[in-house]
Amino acid sequence: MGKNSGKNKIEWGSKSFELRRSRGSENSPKAIDKDTTMFILMSQEVKDEGNKLFQSKDYEGAMLNYEKAIKLLPRNHIDVSHLRSNMAACYMQLGINEFPRAIHECNLALEVAPKYSKALLKRARCYEALNQLDLALNDVRTVLKLEPNNFMAAEIEGRVKTAIKKKYFCR
């Protein structure tokens, strides 16, 4: 028998993926579970299809794909936060009446990745549109602490500060 190089190949569809197993026993938490890896790969393909639907402005179809992709992933996988953020973008495209749902999706994304600036900015834009200015300002300030040169956060912060001044000083 040959020496185990710690690599495995997985074939899925027309793609072949090489996996590296961590050192240690098969029961090690760092060891790659082939089934989990397969589900992650499947999730990526479903997400890609959702992204195509989003680009073609089929937001409901995109959301269905993102939901399917989420179900294929481990609960705290980083892609869950990206998919939830994508779902928030879909809700935002559907109009201001759907902004509370977009905020909910951002909240779910931030449960997995609390410093995910895209989700924070989407939520801030929703709060701004819903005139929940203090919450919007809080989110953009969080982003600016993490990324001081984030142009979008600075832009939103400026608009929100102006709106707050108008609200409290122009009565």
Side-chain angles (χ1 to χ4, degrees):
M1 293 202 185
K3 183 178 173 185
N4 184 351
S5 67
K7 296 179 185 176
N8 291 324
K9 259 192 179 173
I10 290 184
E11 302 278 336
W12 192 56
S14 61
K15 297 181 182 179
S16 176
F17 299 91
E18 192 171 274
L19 307 175
R20 296 182 190 277
R21 210 174 331 119
S22 67
R23 294 177 191 203
S25 74
E26 289 290 326
N27 295 329
S28 164
K30 291 187 178 182
I32 291 178
D33 176 318
K34 288 182 188 179
D35 290 337
T36 300
T37 301
M38 190 61 110
F39 283 116
I40 291 169
L41 296 173
M42 290 168 57
S43 173
Q44 183 61 48
E45 290 213 359
V46 175
K47 175 187 173 185
D48 291 344
E49 181 60 32
N51 290 344
K52 289 177 188 172
L53 292 168
F54 183 90
Q55 289 295 319
S56 66
K57 301 183 189 294
D58 179 0
Y59 305 117
E60 288 89 359
M63 284 191 286
L64 288 173
N65 276 277
Y66 297 148
E67 275 291 338
K68 288 178 190 175
I70 288 167
K71 289 177 183 175
L72 293 167
L73 292 170
R75 197 165 168 249
N76 288 322
H77 193 277
I78 190 67
D79 283 349
V80 170
S81 63
H82 300 158
L83 289 158
R84 292 288 180 193
S85 180
N86 289 356
M87 292 200 42
C90 291
Y91 281 121
M92 290 171 76
Q93 290 297 319
L94 294 174
I96 197 164
N97 290 337
E98 297 298 332
F99 280 25
R101 287 183 176 181
I103 290 169
H104 177 70
E105 291 298 334
C106 290
N107 291 341
L108 293 173
L110 293 165
E111 284 179 13
V112 176
K115 296 179 182 180
Y116 186 34
S117 61
K118 282 186 174 184
L120 286 164
L121 289 175
K122 284 177 185 156
R123 189 171 71 177
R125 287 174 43 214
C126 290
Y127 283 144
E128 178 187 14
L130 297 172
N131 205 32
Q132 296 177 332
L133 302 176
D134 292 338
L135 294 172
L137 190 58
N138 189 38
D139 280 350
V140 293
R141 285 184 173 162
T142 300
V143 172
L144 288 169
K145 284 179 190 170
L146 299 168
E147 302 171 17
N149 297 321
N150 188 307
F151 176 76
M152 181 66 72
E155 189 177 284
I156 296 169
E157 181 187 40
R159 285 196 316 259
V160 170
K161 282 182 174 180
T162 300
I164 289 172
K165 284 178 186 175
K166 284 182 183 176
K167 183 177 179 179
Y168 292 108
F169 295 113
C170 296
R171 288 184 178 194

